[in-house]
Amino acid sequence: MYLTDNVPVSAVRRTADGYLVADAFVARTGIQTYLGEELGRPDLLNVRLYRPPEEVFSDATLRSFAHRPMTNDHPPEQVNAQNWKKYAVGQTGDEVVHDKTRVRVPLVLMDQDAIADYEAGKRELSQGYSSEIDWTDGVTPEGEPYDAVQRNIRNNHLALVKHGRAGSQFRIGDGRTPGAPDPSAHPQPQENHMSDKTILVDGLSVVTNDAGAQAITKLQAQLKDAQTAAGIADVAHQTTVAAKDAAIAKVEAERDDLKAKVLSDADLDKRVQERGDLIGKAKAVHDADYSGKTDAEVRKIAVVAKLGDAAVAGKPDAYIEARFDILADGAKPRDPVVVALGDRSTHRQNVQDNGYSASVAGLDYRTAGQKEA
């Protein structure tokens, strides 16, 4: 993938031939933000691309900074032997060095128009290079999150631009008077200049500086995280509501079922009559205590008492009910009132009989004694 970045220049001087010579920082480690479409990912708004030190400072990458053509702005294609005369306005040297985060190279601008642009204020640098994009996210040792990693960075050219992606640190510094100390030997704090960046916000292009771009990118990431959290919370809420709705529906179903089981006064009277009739038939078949028994149990107890267990073994309730009805039809139901009255009448008769019998027995005894006398 072909990409471009921006960098600064220091220790500027003019040669006797009019060339502009300088040392410049041309690359750095860390995170730079690209539009997703620049990296072949139009589905992403911005991509935080991380350059680890082991990639930027590898021997192959550092060698690729040396003897690169310089261009005035980025050409529409990579520079090669066929188009070098068309685009080149100078070149980089071979004394490539680096500190902990940056790469520095010597350079020379040889084209008068490019030198005039520099003197008019066009002083930042942008490296044109190719690299591989490893779509692995993570966090840098400094705690900064990233979306992808650059691998196998190979430089193609170095362009003089108005604003570069890497920021004002990567620019051609102001010239120094002949005989003045070389700033590259004693690096000075860099100018606090922020390069312009274009960021897409809700489909609109917004031009801002490096700090603004970082703030917007951070806010966009926070918004994305908030939207994700809101989506998770909504799913959890919907799940809770569905569970409560199911519980309410269950309670309503149970209530309706209980309502269906509640007997009206007429139904209750009918049920009492039916139960009394059943107990009366059962007692006619077999007199027993049927309290607390179901209708089916009452029939079975009466049938078993009359016919034995074998008569109903393995038989369904319908069969037992039919046998019960047959037995009940053949038995005369006992009226409990009549039974009670009959028992009392018999008791009184027995009492009278006993008294009468005793009296007669006494008379017989006395009569017998008189006859013997």
Side-chain angles (χ1 to χ4, degrees):
M1 178 171 290
Y2 175 64
L3 300 170
T4 60
D5 282 328
N6 298 349
V7 292
V9 182
S10 60
V12 180
R13 62 185 178 85
R14 297 290 291 271
T15 69
D17 299 323
Y19 301 148
L20 189 148
V21 178
D23 287 327
F25 289 107
V26 296
R28 65 177 174 83
T29 61
I31 294 175
Q32 295 190 27
T33 302
Y34 290 80
L35 294 176
E37 59 188 17
E38 292 183 275
L39 303 180
R41 291 292 301 273
D43 56 309
L44 301 176
L45 178 59
N46 291 309
V47 176
R48 295 165 294 185
L49 195 58
Y50 177 47
R51 294 176 177 177
E54 62 269 20
E55 294 292 339
V56 177
F57 302 146
S58 71
D59 289 342
T61 298
L62 291 176
R63 284 196 300 269
S64 73
F65 284 108
H67 303 297
R68 295 292 93 189
M70 288 196 65
T71 63
N72 196 357
D73 288 323
H74 286 291
E77 56 187 331
Q78 293 203 61
V79 181
N80 55 41
Q82 284 73 36
N83 59 28
W84 179 84
K85 289 184 179 180
K86 180 179 179 180
Y87 298 124
V89 296
Q91 68 178 22
T92 63
D94 59 2
E95 296 179 0
V96 180
V97 296
H98 70 85
D99 57 19
K100 291 183 178 180
T101 61
R102 301 170 299 178
V103 176
R104 191 181 69 187
V105 298
L107 61 85
V108 56
L109 279 176
M110 307 176 73
D111 178 75
Q112 182 56 48
D113 290 338
I115 294 173
D117 286 343
Y118 162 77
E119 291 176 340
K122 189 177 183 179
R123 299 188 177 186
E124 293 192 7
L125 300 172
S126 178
Q127 194 75 32
Y129 60 93
S130 62
S131 71
E132 297 176 3
I133 306 300
D134 178 4
W135 292 97
T136 302
D137 59 7
V139 178
T140 69
E142 293 75 28
E144 297 181 87
Y146 58 82
D147 305 307
V149 181
Q150 278 189 323
R151 310 283 188 195
N152 299 320
I153 302 169
R154 301 294 182 268
N155 292 278
N156 176 261
H157 65 273
L158 182 63
L160 180 68
V161 297
K162 186 175 181 180
H163 296 297
R165 188 187 306 274
S168 61
Q169 178 185 167
F170 298 88
R171 63 191 297 271
I172 299 177
D174 293 332
R176 62 187 177 90
T177 57
D182 184 352
S184 63
H186 302 282
Q188 301 295 316
Q190 298 295 323
E191 176 185 352
N192 186 21
H193 170 78
M194 304 299 289
S195 62
D196 289 344
K197 293 182 181 295
T198 300
I199 300 293
L200 284 178
V201 180
D202 197 18
L204 300 176
S205 296
V206 177
V207 178
T208 182
N209 55 28
D210 291 335
Q214 292 177 0
I216 291 173
T217 300
K218 181 179 180 179
L219 290 174
Q220 288 172 332
Q222 291 175 342
L223 176 60
K224 183 178 179 181
D225 293 342
Q227 290 172 337
T228 300
I232 294 173
D234 183 62
V235 170
H237 174 70
Q238 294 299 329
T239 301
T240 301
V241 170
K244 289 185 177 179
D245 288 345
I248 292 172
K250 182 179 179 181
V251 170
E252 290 177 344
E254 292 173 347
R255 180 197 62 195
D256 293 342
D257 182 61
L258 290 175
K259 283 182 178 180
K261 291 179 179 179
V262 174
L263 299 177
S264 66
D265 292 342
D267 291 335
L268 183 60
D269 290 343
K270 181 180 177 181
R271 177 59 183 150
V272 170
Q273 182 63 45
E274 291 175 348
R275 178 69 176 182
D277 292 344
L278 176 64
I279 296 300
K281 290 180 181 181
K283 284 185 173 293
V285 175
H286 172 67
D287 191 10
D289 182 8
Y290 296 103
S291 300
K293 306 297 183 183
T294 65
D295 290 358
E297 289 172 340
V298 169
R299 296 186 186 97
K300 185 174 181 180
I301 291 171
V303 172
V304 169
K306 197 70 174 178
L307 304 177
D309 290 331
V312 297
K315 302 298 184 180
D317 288 344
Y319 174 86
I320 297 173
E321 183 176 355
R323 293 300 298 269
F324 174 82
D325 289 342
I326 293 172
L327 292 174
D329 289 342
K332 184 179 180 180
R334 300 179 63 195
D335 187 333
V337 176
V338 174
V339 171
L341 291 176
D343 289 344
R344 291 173 61 187
S345 175
T346 303
H347 176 70
R348 287 197 299 271
Q349 182 178 358
N350 290 339
V351 171
Q352 294 172 357
D353 288 347
N354 292 338
Y356 175 76
S357 299
S359 177
V360 173
L363 291 176
D364 290 344
Y365 173 78
R366 289 194 297 273
T367 303
Q370 293 174 355
K371 288 180 179 182
E372 290 177 358

